[in-house]
Amino acid sequence: MNNKDNREALRIIPLGGLEQIGMNITAFEYGDSIIVVDCGFAFPEEEMLGIDFVIPDISYLKENSDRVKGFVITHGHEDHIGAIPFVEKQMRVPIYATKLTMALIDRKLEEHGLAGEIRQRVVKFGQQIILGDFRVEFIKTNHSIQDAAALAIYSPAGTVIHTGDFKVDYTPVYGDAIDLQRFGEIGKKGVLALMCDSTNAERAGFTMSEKTVGAAFDRIFREHENSRLVIATFSSNIDRVQQIITCAHRYGRKVCLDGRSMVNAIGIATELGYIDDYGDTLIEMDDLERYAPEKTVLVTTGSQGESMASLSRMALSIHKKVRIRPGDTIVMSSHPIPGNEKAVSNVINELNELGAEVIFQDTHVSGHACREEIKLIYSLVQPKYAIPVHGERRHLQAQANLAETLGIPSKNIFLLHSGDVLEMTERKAKVVGKVPAGSVLVDGLGVGDVGEVVIRDRQRLARDGIMIVVMTLEAETGRVLAGPDIVSRGFVYVREAEDLMEEAGEVVRSAADGALSADTDWNGIKTRIREELGAYVWKKTKRRPMILPIIMEVE
Amino acid sequence: MNNKDNREALRIIPLGGLEQIGMNITAFEYGDSIIVVDCGFAFPEEEMLGIDFVIPDISYLKENSDRVKGFVITHGHEDHIGAIPFVEKQMRVPIYATKLTMALIDRKLEEHGLAGEIRQRVVKFGQQIILGDFRVEFIKTNHSIQDAAALAIYSPAGTVIHTGDFKVDYTPVYGDAIDLQRFGEIGKKGVLALMCDSTNAERAGFTMSEKTVGAAFDRIFREHENSRLVIATFSSNIDRVQQIITCAHRYGRKVCLDGRSMVNAIGIATELGYIDDYGDTLIEMDDLERYAPEKTVLVTTGSQGESMASLSRMALSIHKKVRIRPGDTIVMSSHPIPGNEKAVSNVINELNELGAEVIFQDTHVSGHACREEIKLIYSLVQPKYAIPVHGERRHLQAQANLAETLGIPSKNIFLLHSGDVLEMTERKAKVVGKVPAGSVLVDGLGVGDVGEVVIRDRQRLARDGIMIVVMTLEAETGRVLAGPDIVSRGFVYVREAEDLMEEAGEVVRSAADGALSADTDWNGIKTRIREELGAYVWKKTKRRPMILPIIMEVE
């Protein structure tokens, strides 16, 4: 990429975030400068058994590390900051973000022993930072976390606006509404490309203001004055928690936070002055019993049915300090994220079983723009090119269709894939190549040591278990000294399948004998055992356990 | 249960269907007579790894087989008929059902080699059958399959109305609307208990008529006259398929069915006269290529994202006969069942990726009654006792709350669990005991041979894989002849974790040596290996693979 023409082009290289929700990370390249917008993780797909989360493959950034000028972070959600420590362990890149976002990043770096190791700079809305050939301006937006920013990325090839995750909230709980004027002003000057949040691009209308949830809380507090209230929501939704605190204060209740991430996030927000507890509304868990139940509100994690979270523990009566009692009122202040519906439903069932009332209407609004808001941003920015971001293919497609109805020619709309190199100038834009991109699986302390082979094995083990065939042979003669024995796990309850296991033993012995007398090598013996035992088991059970022959040799 | 008082009571014993959607089966007992309403299976919960489906534990019925007079089946969905063959293999119970329901049961019995083995009787709406001390009347309802019935169960202790799955459709596609008059007439005479479908008890309003989907299809056909149409829906939703055929006929298209269950179900419906194809609208797959794509409609299975179904194969371009092309229009004529959202979304993403348009608005209505319909049935029947059925706890609870608002005292509302024995007379009703009830897991050909232990092993294998430690000892001396060797699967990609595996080998050798020199017995050796290797692996990886030591002895 060294010819003159290319050096005058802007290159946009998404390294994640286009095939799934989460793992947002996009590189912008001009001349010798690279900047990276966001660096998030994703939750594993259902088939990624045992995986904790997924981070982006950043080999392209590592190869070009001398050119990488900085991370520019839009907001403090895990799908935008979660992979930062993993990347910073490999390459030290300066980080630019707004105040709350940076505080959340700080905690992550600390947890990974990186505190003080990385250059960090807190940026204010309206401020511009210079990163090599780029200038980046942070623009105030609204989202389900405070201090969310859109970015205006100025390059010699033109300006790109990246919305980050956003909604339009004319009446936010804290701080200002989205800076629509600035979007208009920059748009008026000419914008090359708009990269806009697609999450809700299939949803008609406008996302409601966060304040409407406050009204719903008010009604619930009023109608349940004799109940203890337990409200589950996202720990990062600081405005939501603020509204609960405000409502509790109004109705003379104390608020107790529960769940590690809730306590952490609200702790940070309180320190930074983003939460007002009216002096004494927040109390510690240990002080909870000093108040009558109907004078308290518990704010907990677990609104997505996460098995280890606070609300799930309450539902299963294994919470260390809280027991759900008949008469309690539980408010699910969130919608299930796709894939979590079943888990959320299970928690509701358990809470009902304990005699609690569960409320899940009107107590959540999305943090993402619906179709009318997306149209508004397009109309303010009026970009030449549209690059829908943040979402699965269906969401990107929905925004692409929307952009077309707004007059952007379809040849100027790009549905990119991770790794695509989109090269653009004022004259033209085109995908010119591909860089390595993909998912790196994190399992416990292991980063990338679990790949396709291991996952495929786990899937097979999960489905039908394993049968291990062990035998000991004399090295020189090939004589069988012990076995073959069969040990199985996850296949069948052996005590109730004695006949099956006995016959399987015979199949294995005959397979081994056959192979040995045919003077087969050991791989041949293993293959024959695998095939014959596999065929027998399939015939008898229609299952395909993993069959693992192990031969030991004795000198 | 032999004292006089009890013999005059009616006992209702649900054996499934109250803790989950599916596996509906309820016994009714009076004197020496038992009748059983429905006999369905359930799909496995997410954590039941490798399980195909779940059937009810019927040991209570087997113990009392001489008293079981018959199965009375409300309609032909799998969650109401799916377990019949498994039960009929163990006890021969006569089956009573309406025409289409019985035809679907016939096919099941055939598949299990039970054709002609069971007494079966097709019942008409309005007809009453006598089963020991019971009389049962089939009442016409509406649902997402034809020939669905509610049951009036007359016993000397009083009348119970069981709605089955139902909705109120004043303008059904085929046949009559629900027989509301008969509900009113029986109600007027006095009904002891109402067992009413709870599936949609959380949803306000009325479920729309199936005919509204016809109007949506008409619009789609009109607006996509240059596209091939692929419409995915439930194979059992015969009215839906009829509406597609009608629309296709109107717009001069041919209809081709795809997917085994679709071809089967519509085949049966056509034979019985429940489908009208206007003489020549339905064509075979092999004739499809004789028509221009925009003159055809494919009706397929897979609307729930099922991985092996027709639509998923098209989405992944592994369908044997159909390739999705840009310009194709796919209609998802169903809503994702809770738990399937992610899978459905994945299919939509893949179809979008292939350039197809995917439509999922307005092309489905539920087959279950919403709150206003439930209120209507309560008001017609005016039962003394309410026993919400069909649903998870949250749905049952929602109906219970509804029943209370309709004036049924809460002490007369019973939220039962599987196995509960609810005894009722005109004077009182009470849960008096418990019979065995629960889930039997079906995996391949195995029925009940996979239980808690096997599932727990599969879960552990799925999460972190397995490490097998093998060693051969001399029987007499305990001398190590071979090993210990470690073989792992699903734990870590061994080629990239050589150091780890090598160190693990040392840990195992030192554990074995330690145990042997301490003269430990073999169980002791195994325990020590398990503990020390487990601790090492946890420290290094924060994973807990299953550790399986195997010791072979050589004489």
Side-chain angles (χ1 to χ4, degrees):
Chain A
M1 300 200 189
N2 279 319
N3 65 54
K4 187 157 179 302
D5 188 70
N6 282 342
R7 285 194 64 87
E8 285 173 5
L10 170 68
R11 281 183 292 281
I12 299 180
I13 310 173
L15 296 172
L18 296 175
E19 283 80 20
Q20 78 266 77
I21 301 281
M23 211 171 91
N24 296 294
I25 176 169
T26 308
F28 292 75
E29 218 176 85
Y30 184 91
D32 284 329
S33 305
I34 295 177
I35 61 169
V36 183
V37 172
D38 290 337
C39 184
F41 69 52
F43 289 101
E45 299 291 313
E46 205 182 328
E47 66 272 17
M48 296 177 183
L49 300 175
I51 297 304
D52 298 326
F53 49 88
V54 182
I55 61 174
D57 176 350
I58 52 147
S59 35
Y60 181 73
L61 298 181
K62 281 200 287 184
E63 272 165 36
N64 296 282
S65 61
D66 53 321
R67 297 162 60 208
V68 178
K69 307 297 178 193
F71 278 127
V72 194
I73 308 295
T74 59
H75 64 283
H77 278 155
E78 292 291 6
D79 51 336
H80 295 255
I81 68 170
I84 288 177
F86 297 93
V87 177
E88 293 288 6
K89 274 179 194 162
Q90 303 173 64
M91 46 191 295
R92 301 292 158 107
V93 183
I95 302 174
Y96 302 86
T98 52
K99 192 164 81 168
L100 177 64
T101 308
M102 193 62 92
L104 292 165
I105 293 170
D106 277 341
R107 190 161 51 92
K108 286 205 159 291
L109 294 175
E110 236 166 73
E111 278 170 9
H112 284 79
L114 290 163
E117 302 280 312
I118 315 293
R119 253 187 59 208
Q120 295 171 258
R121 187 169 142 204
V122 173
V123 184
K124 289 210 174 77
F125 293 120
Q127 206 177 334
Q128 298 192 358
I129 51 172
I130 293 172
L131 295 166
D133 288 332
F134 291 99
R135 243 180 334 124
V136 181
E137 176 182 341
F138 284 64
I139 307 170
K140 167 81 190 172
T141 60
N142 304 120
H143 185 41
S144 48
I145 188 167
Q146 290 163 6
D147 271 6
L151 304 171
I153 299 164
Y154 304 101
S155 80
T159 301
V160 177
I161 290 196
H162 189 299
T163 64
D165 288 354
F166 84 105
K167 67 187 276 189
V168 174
D169 194 336
Y170 295 118
T171 57
V173 169
Y174 177 96
D176 298 327
I178 179 172
D179 189 355
L180 295 175
Q181 292 179 322
R182 187 61 184 147
F183 278 94
E185 193 176 19
I186 299 171
K188 198 73 181 173
K189 288 180 188 151
V191 167
L192 193 58
L194 173 62
M195 303 176 77
C196 180
D197 181 3
S198 308
T199 311
N200 278 350
E202 290 177 344
R203 292 205 202 154
F206 244 91
T207 295
M208 300 292 280
S209 169
E210 175 65 28
K211 277 231 173 111
T212 61
V213 178
F217 281 145
D218 193 275
R219 187 178 46 74
I220 291 168
F221 274 70
R222 199 171 56 239
E223 290 174 0
H224 294 81
E225 53 180 10
N226 297 318
S227 286
R228 178 168 63 168
L229 286 169
V230 179
I231 305 180
T233 191
F234 297 106
S235 60
S236 59
N237 199 329
I238 291 157
D239 289 340
R240 189 70 47 84
V241 176
Q242 176 68 67
Q243 295 197 92
I244 297 168
I245 293 172
T246 302
C247 221
H249 175 66
R250 191 180 310 140
Y251 286 89
R253 295 199 192 217
K254 296 294 180 191
V255 174
C256 175
L257 306 173
D258 192 35
R260 198 174 62 96
S261 66
M262 182 66 75
V263 172
N264 277 339
I266 302 306
I268 289 174
T270 306
E271 265 172 48
L272 297 182
Y274 288 80
I275 283 271
D276 178 3
D277 98 325
Y278 305 93
D280 63 351
T281 300
L282 282 171
I283 59 168
E284 298 293 321
M285 182 62 86
D286 291 334
D287 295 330
L288 194 58
E289 56 188 24
R290 294 174 38 214
Y291 299 89
E294 69 276 12
K295 288 292 166 198
T296 63
V297 184
L298 275 158
V299 180
T300 82
T301 54
S303 64
Q304 292 299 311
E306 308 94 319
S307 61
M308 303 307 283
S310 180
L311 187 67
S312 300
R313 290 173 178 276
M314 292 180 197
L316 295 173
S317 302
I318 55 170
H319 192 286
K320 274 191 192 144
K321 304 196 168 171
V322 183
R323 283 282 160 278
I324 297 299
R325 294 175 294 241
D328 284 346
T329 300
I330 321 288
V331 181
M332 306 293 285
S333 182
S334 82
H335 288 159
I337 293 169
N340 295 346
E341 292 85 353
K342 215 48 202 283
V344 172
S345 210
N346 289 345
V347 169
I348 295 174
N349 289 330
E350 297 291 347
L351 291 168
N352 275 160
E353 190 74 55
L354 294 172
E357 183 188 359
V358 183
I359 296 174
F360 36 85
Q361 281 98 3
D362 308 325
T363 58
H364 183 65
V365 293
S366 173
H368 297 273
C370 288
R371 292 169 71 87
E372 292 306 313
E373 290 152 280
I374 294 171
K375 288 187 202 167
L376 170 57
I377 294 298
Y378 269 90
S379 303
L380 287 169
V381 172
Q382 299 199 13
K384 176 160 192 186
Y385 303 113
I387 309 166
V389 294
H390 297 340
E392 299 168 16
R393 180 75 185 196
R394 58 187 287 187
H395 308 122
L396 307 182
Q397 182 72 56
Q399 181 177 140
N401 297 345
L402 206 57
E404 223 181 315
T405 66
L406 295 172
I408 298 187
S410 69
K411 68 174 178 42
N412 285 1
I413 302 172
F414 292 89
L415 294 183
L416 299 181
H417 293 94
S418 297
D420 280 348
V421 179
L422 175 65
E423 198 171 84
M424 53 170 57
T425 63
E426 191 52 59
R427 293 188 314 282
K428 60 175 182 184
K430 198 183 162 194
V431 174
V432 296
K434 198 97 189 159
V435 305
S439 298
V440 175
L441 309 186
V442 179
D443 179 5
L445 297 180
V447 178
D449 66 342
V450 170
E452 218 174 296
V453 176
V454 173
I455 292 292
R456 224 182 305 123
D457 281 350
R458 286 184 185 173
Q459 289 167 348
R460 184 148 190 209
L461 292 166
R463 211 159 41 231
D464 288 322
I466 186 169
M467 296 181 90
I468 301 146
V469 180
V470 281
M471 58 195 294
T472 304
L473 301 182
E474 195 167 51
E476 236 168 287
T477 62
R479 194 163 61 92
V480 178
L481 297 179
D485 296 339
I486 301 180
V487 181
S488 83
R489 286 292 184 276
F491 166 55
V492 74
Y493 191 55
V494 174
R495 282 188 205 173
E496 286 180 2
E498 278 174 11
D499 292 353
L500 179 73
M501 293 308 283
E502 210 159 284
E503 271 187 46
E506 277 163 35
V507 170
V508 165
R509 275 187 294 280
S510 119
D513 287 351
L516 284 165
S517 61
D519 219 14
T520 319
D521 69 3
W522 290 12
N523 271 332
I525 301 174
K526 288 183 183 180
T527 303
R528 192 140 166 192
I529 288 175
R530 215 177 278 125
E531 284 172 0
E532 294 187 19
L533 180 57
Y536 169 79
V537 166
W538 173 250
K539 198 183 78 189
K540 285 290 185 181
T541 66
K542 292 280 180 272
R543 297 178 204 166
R544 298 196 188 282
M546 180 182 285
I547 294 175
L548 185 62
I550 303 174
I551 297 176
M552 308 207 71
E553 62 176 326
V554 171
E555 298 294 328
Chain B
M1 302 199 189
N2 279 320
N3 65 55
K4 187 156 180 303
D5 188 70
N6 282 343
R7 285 195 63 85
E8 285 173 4
L10 170 67
R11 279 184 292 281
I12 299 179
I13 311 173
L15 296 172
L18 296 175
E19 283 81 21
Q20 78 265 75
I21 301 282
M23 211 171 92
N24 296 293
I25 176 168
T26 308
F28 292 75
E29 217 176 85
Y30 184 91
D32 285 329
S33 305
I34 294 178
I35 62 169
V36 183
V37 171
D38 289 337
C39 185
F41 69 51
F43 289 101
E45 298 291 313
E46 204 182 330
E47 66 272 16
M48 296 177 183
L49 300 175
I51 298 304
D52 298 326
F53 49 88
V54 181
I55 60 174
D57 176 350
I58 51 147
S59 36
Y60 181 73
L61 298 181
K62 282 201 285 183
E63 272 165 34
N64 295 282
S65 61
D66 53 323
R67 296 162 62 209
V68 178
K69 307 297 178 193
F71 278 128
V72 194
I73 307 296
T74 59
H75 64 282
H77 278 155
E78 292 290 6
D79 51 337
H80 295 256
I81 67 170
I84 288 178
F86 298 92
V87 176
E88 292 288 4
K89 274 179 194 163
Q90 302 174 64
M91 47 191 295
R92 301 293 157 107
V93 183
I95 303 174
Y96 303 84
T98 52
K99 192 165 82 170
L100 177 65
T101 308
M102 194 62 93
L104 293 165
I105 293 170
D106 277 342
R107 190 160 53 91
K108 286 204 160 292
L109 294 175
E110 236 167 73
E111 278 170 9
H112 284 79
L114 290 164
E117 301 280 314
I118 314 294
R119 252 186 61 207
Q120 296 170 256
R121 187 168 142 204
V122 173
V123 184
K124 290 208 173 78
F125 293 118
Q127 206 177 335
Q128 298 192 359
I129 51 173
I130 293 173
L131 295 166
D133 288 333
F134 291 99
R135 244 180 333 123
V136 180
E137 176 182 342
F138 284 64
I139 306 170
K140 167 81 190 172
T141 60
N142 303 121
H143 186 41
S144 48
I145 188 168
Q146 289 162 8
D147 271 5
L151 304 171
I153 298 164
Y154 304 102
S155 80
T159 301
V160 177
I161 290 196
H162 190 299
T163 65
D165 287 355
F166 85 104
K167 67 187 275 190
V168 174
D169 194 337
Y170 295 117
T171 57
V173 169
Y174 177 97
D176 298 326
I178 179 172
D179 188 354
L180 295 175
Q181 292 179 322
R182 187 62 183 147
F183 279 93
E185 193 177 19
I186 299 170
K188 198 75 181 174
K189 288 180 189 151
V191 168
L192 194 58
L194 173 62
M195 303 176 77
C196 180
D197 181 4
S198 308
T199 311
N200 279 351
E202 290 177 343
R203 292 205 201 154
F206 244 91
T207 295
M208 301 293 279
S209 169
E210 176 65 28
K211 278 232 172 111
T212 61
V213 178
F217 281 145
D218 192 275
R219 186 177 47 74
I220 291 168
F221 274 71
R222 199 172 56 239
E223 291 174 0
H224 294 81
E225 53 182 9
N226 297 318
S227 286
R228 178 168 62 168
L229 286 169
V230 179
I231 305 179
T233 191
F234 297 106
S235 60
S236 60
N237 200 328
I238 292 157
D239 289 340
R240 189 68 49 83
V241 176
Q242 176 67 67
Q243 296 197 91
I244 297 167
I245 293 172
T246 302
C247 222
H249 175 66
R250 191 180 310 139
Y251 286 89
R253 295 199 191 218
K254 297 294 179 191
V255 173
C256 175
L257 305 173
D258 192 35
R260 197 174 63 96
S261 66
M262 181 65 74
V263 173
N264 277 340
I266 302 306
I268 289 174
T270 306
E271 264 173 48
L272 296 182
Y274 289 78
I275 283 271
D276 178 2
D277 97 324
Y278 306 93
D280 62 352
T281 300
L282 284 171
I283 59 168
E284 297 293 320
M285 182 62 86
D286 291 335
D287 295 330
L288 194 60
E289 56 188 24
R290 292 175 38 215
Y291 298 90
E294 68 276 13
K295 288 293 166 199
T296 63
V297 184
L298 274 158
V299 180
T300 82
T301 54
S303 63
Q304 292 299 312
E306 308 94 319
S307 61
M308 304 306 285
S310 180
L311 187 67
S312 300
R313 291 174 178 275
M314 292 180 198
L316 295 173
S317 302
I318 56 170
H319 192 287
K320 274 191 192 145
K321 304 196 168 170
V322 183
R323 282 284 161 277
I324 297 298
R325 293 175 295 240
D328 285 346
T329 300
I330 321 289
V331 181
M332 306 293 285
S333 183
S334 81
H335 287 159
I337 293 170
N340 295 346
E341 291 85 353
K342 214 50 202 282
V344 172
S345 211
N346 289 345
V347 168
I348 294 174
N349 289 330
E350 297 290 348
L351 292 168
N352 275 161
E353 190 75 55
L354 294 172
E357 182 187 0
V358 183
I359 296 174
F360 36 86
Q361 280 98 2
D362 309 325
T363 58
H364 183 65
V365 294
S366 173
H368 297 274
C370 288
R371 292 170 70 86
E372 293 305 313
E373 290 152 280
I374 293 172
K375 288 187 203 167
L376 170 58
I377 294 298
Y378 270 90
S379 302
L380 287 169
V381 171
Q382 299 199 13
K384 176 161 190 185
Y385 304 113
I387 310 166
V389 294
H390 298 340
E392 299 167 16
R393 180 75 186 196
R394 59 187 288 188
H395 307 122
L396 307 181
Q397 181 72 56
Q399 182 177 139
N401 297 346
L402 207 56
E404 222 180 316
T405 66
L406 295 172
I408 299 186
S410 70
K411 69 173 177 44
N412 285 2
I413 303 172
F414 291 91
L415 294 183
L416 299 181
H417 294 95
S418 298
D420 281 348
V421 179
L422 174 65
E423 198 169 85
M424 53 169 58
T425 63
E426 192 51 58
R427 293 188 314 282
K428 60 173 183 187
K430 198 183 162 195
V431 174
V432 296
K434 198 97 189 159
V435 307
S439 299
V440 176
L441 309 186
V442 179
D443 179 4
L445 297 181
V447 178
D449 65 341
V450 170
E452 219 175 294
V453 176
V454 173
I455 292 293
R456 224 182 306 123
D457 282 349
R458 287 185 184 173
Q459 288 167 349
R460 184 148 189 209
L461 292 167
R463 211 159 40 231
D464 287 322
I466 187 169
M467 296 181 88
I468 301 146
V469 180
V470 281
M471 58 195 293
T472 304
L473 301 182
E474 195 168 52
E476 236 168 286
T477 62
R479 194 164 61 92
V480 178
L481 298 179
D485 296 338
I486 301 179
V487 181
S488 83
R489 286 292 184 276
F491 166 55
V492 74
Y493 190 56
V494 174
R495 282 188 208 175
E496 286 181 0
E498 277 174 11
D499 292 352
L500 179 73
M501 294 307 284
E502 210 160 283
E503 271 187 47
E506 277 163 35
V507 170
V508 165
R509 274 187 293 280
S510 119
D513 288 350
L516 284 166
S517 62
D519 219 15
T520 319
D521 69 3
W522 290 13
N523 271 333
I525 302 174
K526 288 183 182 178
T527 303
R528 193 141 165 191
I529 289 175
R530 215 178 277 124
E531 284 172 0
E532 294 187 18
L533 180 57
Y536 169 78
V537 166
W538 173 251
K539 198 183 77 190
K540 286 289 184 182
T541 66
K542 292 278 179 273
R543 297 179 204 164
R544 298 197 187 282
M546 180 182 284
I547 294 174
L548 186 62
I550 302 174
I551 297 176
M552 309 207 70
E553 63 174 325
V554 171
E555 297 295 328

